[in-house]
Amino acid sequence: MAFGSSLPALRLPEIIRNEARETDMNKAITEGLVLMPPPFSAGLNLWSSGNGRPGDASYQGAPNAALVTNDQDFGGCLELQKTVTTQRLRSFAQTPLRPDMYLRISAKVKAVSGNLPAVRIAAWVGDVSENNVSGVVQAGASVTLTQYGEVVTVQAIVGAGSRTGVDMAWGTAGVFAHVGLDLTGANGGVVRIDDLVVEDVTSVFIRDMIDLVDVRDYGAIGNGVANDTAAFAAADAAAAGRTILVSAGTYALPGNLTINSPIRFQGTVTQPAANRLILTRNFDLETYSTAFGGDVDGFKKALQALFYYSDHVTFDMSGRRVDLSGPVDVAAVSGLTSFSNRRVLRNGSLNAVTSTAWTSDVVTSVATYSVGNPTTLTGVANVANVPIGALVQATGVGREVYVQAKNIGAGTITLSQPLFGAAGTRTYTFTRYKYLLDFSGFSLLSRFEIQDVEFNCLGLCSGVMMALAGSVFRFDSCTFNRPKDRGLTSTGSGCQGMFIDYCQFLSNEQSLDAQDRTTIAINVQANDVKIRNNRIVRFKHFAVMNGTSHMIYNNHFFQGDDAPAGVRVAGLVFTQTNVATVVAGNYIDNCFIEWGNEHDPEPAYNNELSFGGLNVVGNIFIASDVSSAFRWVVVKPFGSGHFFNGFSLVNNTFRVFNAVVDRVEKVDTSFADLDFTRSRNVRVEGNTFNQVTQTIQNPIVVSHTQNTASDTWAVDSDGYIPFGGRIRMVESVMPEGAITTSTNAARYVFPNALPGQGAGGSQAHLRWGEAVKGKATVVIRMDVPV
């Protein structure tokens, strides 16, 4: 309790000092509130010896109370003798209370005679039902009078909020008060009391000009235990466009809460993981990190809110970096397993820091596979320990096959793709990589976008694991920096229709020789993926792609190393035969396109669509310091009987530095060759070749000169047939000049043609019916056009 007639020096940093406070800022003037109780000269019938409530006794005619009109210190005043243990003095008038208003109640008192009592400011606080507000302090600290005639000012500051400097905090329930004072101590003493003064001192705590609403003014406690949800909601309701201030403290919010006003945090909040805090006017990482006391918790709570919040579809990370010591399970954070509305995460960096939480889980187990049940492993030993989302590895298993689901009771595992050569029982290794963002807990997630986010894996973890199913996931202008194992992983159809645009993938294995790398930037399990304008540096593979109808445009992917005559590995890997895919305008640097069917449970041809639908158009193919056996386009059938059924290699540029390669294409016959007797619709034309020994084309235009008369001319393709195929068709024969006999007699005849002659079917025979010689331009093909 402070003494004297001036404003007390309040103690908390949260109190804004305003020494030059003007009277016209007082709410009693600006808002018409009547704060002051009546003067004593208006009549003692206006003053109660009880609580000031209707029916309480007044001091009118009381033997221990009298008006004094000419006191030397006070002029008019009340003279009161203490006759009971607590001598109450309360105004019958109601002083209004508001949550955003702080009042100072003051009284000047002096002892006149008799015993010296103690004095304190006191009041009776009422709610909207005019009942007393329980559980709040309604009397200030006592001050003992020590001398007769000494004027002592006793005062107390009251208001809703529990602030330092507030003597009686009444919360938000109180709407009026009967103000006054108490005399305590020994009876018999006589005191004189000047008129009570009630002043609005709100400006000491919150100046109107800074436009703030403090949650403490609406009953927030901030001790980390009390439930402050209602106080936050009340402050939000009262803000009316002003900014909510969460002053210093820890505020418990044990439920869902939406704040629709601007908000600023000096203190922090705590909230159960399952509950949501939605800040509609400050939906950014900066605010959430401040609110929850750290970037990680702030990031998770804001990401959670994104899935429940329709006013904003974008969570802006404010350009901030969030250091993660373990994977963020986005489904667990959100509390959802299915979501299909557009949402965007953008503008920040997720940074892995050293932690054992990034260690991959590895389980080895014996299981049985049957081609009759192509995506299921049965009889899986130790199936309970096999993690969902694990990479499956064993002999006969293609690349990028993952565990989609498991049935512990049945001992089975569901695979993302069939296995090409694993029939029977064998040992499998299941490796579950750890990802900065893991969406695998979603059974369905569509239309989620990530823009301008750096996934800074730093060789500790992988980047993003997709949801099990969904469509149109989009990555735009993101960077995947040094993923330990994978950049983007799909274990199901969650990559359907995915967009990957303007991203960078920077390998953690750039110093290794190409054949020693293990990391893969992207894998695809479904259809309709668009990969455009990206830059990919020195992974084992750029993309391993199942599915069809992909569009791969304008990417630069390079996978070379510093080894002389170095081994090169595939950049793009297609894992099914009929891909219906365009690869156009890319810079394919020291790697190759591999096209196989490793995700076919019965990889031999069985009347399905064979190798077709791949259009490789207008790309730049570069290689340097490679062996002569290097090839840029490799077809790898995993079973016999397959053939080309629609393939274009058109208008590309092939160039080698510091080496010469034999040719640009081949069939990898590790498992099987192609059946070139069935090739259809193959276009290889308009390409340019530098430092390539054997160029290729189809159709092949041969200028054949027959110097010795013969009835059969053998027109050789001379290695120009792509993939070492055979001639299936003679498209045209045009003699140049005269066709003559051995005696130079002109003959005006036309031959019939026999394609597929000679060793390997690489010749076409022209049969004239007699021995002739001359020159002809012959157009031959390795295919039969559709």
Side-chain angles (χ1 to χ4, degrees):
M1 184 69 62
F3 297 89
S5 60
S6 62
L7 191 69
L10 301 172
R11 299 182 295 276
L12 267 191
E14 72 196 69
I15 298 175
I16 303 169
R17 306 179 192 278
N18 185 5
E19 298 291 337
R21 182 170 50 88
E22 297 293 332
T23 303
D24 62 4
M25 293 179 67
N26 191 299
K27 288 182 171 61
I29 296 174
T30 61
E31 298 182 19
L33 299 180
V34 179
L35 303 179
M36 292 282 289
F40 296 124
S41 61
L44 295 185
N45 62 310
L46 302 178
W47 289 89
S48 169
S49 59
N51 291 317
R53 301 298 295 148
D56 285 358
S58 76
Y59 279 104
Q60 180 70 37
N64 63 333
L67 287 173
V68 177
T69 60
N70 60 351
D71 183 89
Q72 64 178 0
D73 295 310
F74 303 146
C77 66
L78 170 67
E79 185 174 282
L80 183 65
Q81 182 179 25
K82 185 178 184 302
T83 60
V84 293
T85 303
T86 300
Q87 189 76 50
R88 290 189 177 93
L89 175 67
R90 302 286 188 273
S91 171
F92 278 114
Q94 294 183 356
T95 296
L97 303 175
R98 289 184 5 181
D100 60 347
M101 184 169 65
Y102 289 83
L103 304 178
R104 182 176 62 184
I105 306 169
S106 302
K108 294 180 180 179
V109 182
K110 65 180 179 181
V112 176
S113 64
N115 294 322
L116 295 171
V119 187
R120 66 190 183 194
I121 297 294
W124 188 94
V125 184
D127 62 19
V128 293
S129 300
E130 299 207 359
N131 295 316
N132 187 236
V133 177
S134 62
V136 298
V137 176
Q138 299 183 57
S142 294
V143 177
T144 301
L145 303 183
T146 58
Q147 297 182 48
Y148 298 109
E150 180 185 22
V151 176
V152 174
T153 299
V154 60
Q155 64 183 16
I157 293 178
V158 300
S162 178
R163 293 173 170 275
T164 298
V166 174
D167 300 289
M168 290 180 274
W170 291 338
T172 58
V175 296
F176 70 89
H178 298 287
V179 301
L181 55 76
D182 293 335
L183 299 179
T184 62
N187 291 339
V190 176
V191 298
R192 289 184 178 180
I193 306 167
D194 199 3
D195 291 332
L196 270 71
V197 176
V198 179
E199 301 170 274
D200 175 15
V201 293
T202 305
S203 60
V204 176
F205 294 88
I206 305 173
R207 292 184 302 179
D208 289 340
M209 66 181 67
I210 64 172
D211 208 22
L212 291 177
V213 176
D214 196 320
V215 294
R216 285 189 179 269
D217 297 336
Y218 292 83
I221 303 302
N223 62 4
V225 178
N227 184 349
D228 290 323
T229 305
F232 273 64
D236 186 36
R242 293 176 291 171
T243 297
I244 297 172
L245 174 65
V246 181
S247 50
T250 301
Y251 301 84
L253 304 177
N256 297 328
L257 178 64
T258 297
I259 298 295
N260 292 307
S261 305
I263 191 166
R264 181 161 61 88
F265 288 86
Q266 293 175 344
T268 60
V269 299
T270 62
Q271 190 178 47
N275 293 117
R276 304 178 296 277
L277 175 63
I278 296 177
L279 307 177
T280 64
R281 295 295 179 266
N282 299 84
F283 193 59
D284 55 73
L285 179 60
E286 179 71 27
T287 302
Y288 274 85
S289 294
T290 304
F292 286 93
D295 286 342
V296 174
D297 288 341
F299 173 74
K300 290 180 179 179
K301 296 303 285 188
L303 188 61
Q304 175 193 48
L306 180 64
F307 288 93
Y308 293 89
Y309 180 28
S310 58
D311 283 3
H312 284 284
V313 298
T314 298
F315 169 34
D316 191 336
M317 293 180 64
S318 313
R320 295 277 298 274
R321 186 186 80 183
V322 178
D323 290 334
L324 296 176
S325 58
V328 176
D329 184 337
V330 182
V333 166
S334 69
L336 299 171
T337 58
S338 179
F339 193 81
S340 296
N341 294 322
R342 180 176 180 263
R343 290 294 184 269
V344 181
L345 171 67
R346 67 177 304 274
N347 186 29
S349 175
L350 299 177
N351 187 69
V353 295
T354 301
S355 167
T356 56
W358 300 121
T359 303
S360 297
D361 298 325
V362 181
V363 176
T364 301
S365 183
V366 174
T368 300
Y369 181 74
S370 170
V371 297
N373 198 4
T375 57
T376 303
L377 292 178
T378 61
V380 182
N382 199 27
V383 65
N385 291 329
V386 175
I388 303 297
L391 178 70
V392 183
Q393 294 172 298
T395 303
V397 178
R399 284 163 286 195
E400 298 304 276
V401 177
Y402 289 88
V403 175
Q404 282 190 343
K406 63 183 178 182
N407 186 321
I408 296 175
T412 61
I413 282 175
T414 302
L415 305 172
S416 64
Q417 295 293 339
L419 311 182
F420 72 86
T425 301
R426 66 193 63 212
T427 298
Y428 293 85
T429 299
F430 303 94
T431 304
R432 182 55 158 88
Y433 302 132
K434 302 301 177 65
Y435 297 79
L436 284 168
L437 288 185
D438 193 330
F439 293 89
S440 63
F442 284 96
S443 60
L444 176 71
L445 178 64
S446 296
R447 301 171 62 199
F448 196 90
E449 301 183 14
I450 301 178
Q451 301 174 1
D452 295 301
V453 173
E454 179 184 28
F455 295 92
N456 210 18
C457 304
L458 300 179
L460 298 172
C461 62
S462 296
V464 176
M465 175 170 273
M466 310 283 287
L468 186 62
S471 62
V472 201
F473 205 115
R474 182 182 176 201
F475 294 90
D476 185 357
S477 302
C478 296
T479 297
F480 293 82
N481 187 25
R482 297 175 55 200
K484 175 177 175 285
D485 300 292
R486 299 293 186 267
L488 296 178
T489 295
S490 172
T491 65
S493 61
C495 58
Q496 174 72 32
M498 177 170 62
F499 292 79
I500 304 174
D501 296 316
Y502 297 100
C503 294
Q504 283 206 79
F505 295 82
L506 308 175
S507 170
N508 188 50
E509 301 178 310
Q510 296 190 39
S511 62
L512 299 181
D513 290 345
Q515 69 272 20
D516 296 329
R517 298 171 191 153
T518 61
T519 55
I520 297 174
I522 301 166
N523 86 290
V524 172
Q525 306 276 0
N527 305 321
D528 307 338
V529 174
K530 290 82 176 171
I531 303 177
R532 301 171 297 195
N533 301 295
N534 302 287
R535 181 175 180 268
I536 302 90
V537 183
R538 290 193 172 187
F539 286 79
K540 180 176 183 178
H541 303 304
F542 162 27
V544 177
M545 306 185 70
N546 194 271
T548 68
S549 305
H550 305 308
M551 303 175 70
I552 304 169
Y553 287 109
N554 306 333
N555 304 284
H556 184 185
F557 46 104
F558 46 101
Q559 295 173 204
D561 54 34
D562 299 325
V567 175
R568 298 292 179 258
V569 295
L572 286 174
V573 179
F574 298 107
T575 66
Q576 72 173 47
T577 54
N578 195 273
V579 293
T581 290
V582 178
V583 180
N586 299 281
Y587 189 166
I588 301 173
D589 188 342
N590 278 284
C591 57
F592 55 87
I593 298 172
E594 181 181 321
W595 185 13
N597 62 328
E598 63 193 80
H599 291 157
D600 188 338
E602 300 181 85
Y605 178 69
N606 189 24
N607 295 316
E608 73 267 40
L609 294 173
S610 198
F611 284 88
L614 180 59
N615 299 280
V616 182
V617 181
N619 301 281
I620 300 170
F621 290 87
I622 294 295
S624 57
D625 296 302
V626 294
S627 77
S628 61
F630 171 74
R631 305 289 185 266
W632 281 285
V633 181
V634 177
V635 178
K636 185 176 183 179
F638 280 72
S640 61
H642 284 284
F643 54 92
F644 283 120
N645 189 17
F647 170 64
S648 296
L649 185 66
V650 178
N651 296 336
N652 301 283
T653 296
F654 297 91
R655 184 173 182 181
V656 183
F657 294 91
N658 301 324
V660 175
V661 299
D662 298 332
R663 54 192 304 126
V664 302
E665 88 306 346
K666 74 173 184 179
V667 176
D668 184 334
T669 59
S670 300
F671 294 92
D673 204 343
L674 291 176
D675 182 356
F676 288 106
T677 67
R678 304 185 66 183
S679 298
R680 302 175 65 185
N681 196 25
V682 177
R683 292 181 61 219
V684 180
E685 58 189 12
N687 302 294
T688 61
F689 304 87
N690 296 278
Q691 299 298 99
V692 178
T693 302
Q694 178 63 63
T695 63
I696 58 171
Q697 64 186 62
N698 188 65
I700 304 165
V701 180
V702 179
S703 180
H704 179 81
T705 300
Q706 186 72 33
N707 294 316
T708 303
S710 174
D711 64 347
T712 300
W713 293 6
V715 180
D716 202 305
S717 61
D718 291 328
Y720 288 96
I721 302 176
F723 300 97
R726 60 187 294 120
I727 302 300
R728 291 203 66 202
M729 178 181 179
V730 177
E731 194 169 83
S732 66
V733 178
M734 177 60 68
E736 295 184 27
I739 301 298
T740 64
T741 65
S742 60
T743 59
N744 295 322
R747 290 289 185 269
Y748 300 95
V749 295
F750 203 81
N752 63 49
L754 296 175
Q757 304 299 303
S762 63
Q763 295 179 346
H765 288 180
L766 303 181
R767 300 184 65 179
W768 298 89
E770 63 176 307
V772 292
K773 59 185 176 67
K775 184 177 181 181
T777 299
V778 183
V779 179
I780 55 179
R781 304 183 65 99
M782 69 173 291
D783 63 331
V784 174
V786 174

